[in-house]
Amino acid sequence: MPTDLRALREEGVLRVTWADSQSDFPLPFLRRQCECASCVNEWTGERILDPASVPDDIVIQKMDLVGSYAVRLEWSDGHNSGLFTWDRLRELSRKL
Ligand SMILES: [Zn+2]
């Protein structure tokens, strides 16, 4: 579980601080990785979200912790149904 989560507007990243490291996720990258039911087909795993539809200057408007296992991000494109679990953020940090 992260020790800190911070949306840095100027840098355009979500900075996740872990006990042993730190990951800076570019915001458009993170938005395109959303796996909620409106971004990915739950049955086929096919991506519905067109990556090109995500503006490169997208920002996070709101972050809500969900229990102790995830964060829900509200984006400037109005999307707010995607959860990112800590496990998933860890996995994504290996793709940076
Ligand atoms: Zn989504």
Side-chain angles (χ1 to χ4, degrees):
M1 152 161 212
T3 54
D4 194 33
L5 276 179
R6 222 169 269 271
L8 305 177
R9 275 197 186 215
E10 270 177 39
E11 291 86 342
V13 300
L14 176 69
R15 176 165 293 169
V16 181
T17 308
W18 311 94
D20 57 350
S21 60
Q22 177 178 292
S23 318
D24 281 351
F25 296 97
L27 296 178
F29 164 82
L30 204 55
R31 173 65 186 89
R32 289 175 183 127
Q33 299 299 321
C34 185
E35 288 190 327
C36 80
S38 55
C39 294
V40 172
N41 183 307
E42 288 178 84
W43 304 108
T44 63
E46 187 193 342
R47 186 157 294 278
I48 303 165
L49 172 72
D50 174 6
S53 71
V54 175
D56 286 329
D57 60 354
I58 195 161
V59 294
I60 292 173
Q61 292 189 320
K62 202 159 161 260
M63 293 194 284
D64 285 312
L65 291 180
V66 180
S68 57
Y69 72 97
V71 64
R72 177 186 293 114
L73 301 177
E74 191 172 318
W75 300 95
S76 52
D77 65 356
H79 192 65
N80 65 359
S81 52
L83 296 187
F84 287 87
T85 63
W86 312 140
D87 283 349
R88 174 119 173 93
L89 287 174
R90 271 288 200 187
E91 187 193 314
L92 287 174
S93 70
R94 289 190 275 271
K95 295 190 192 178
L96 290 175

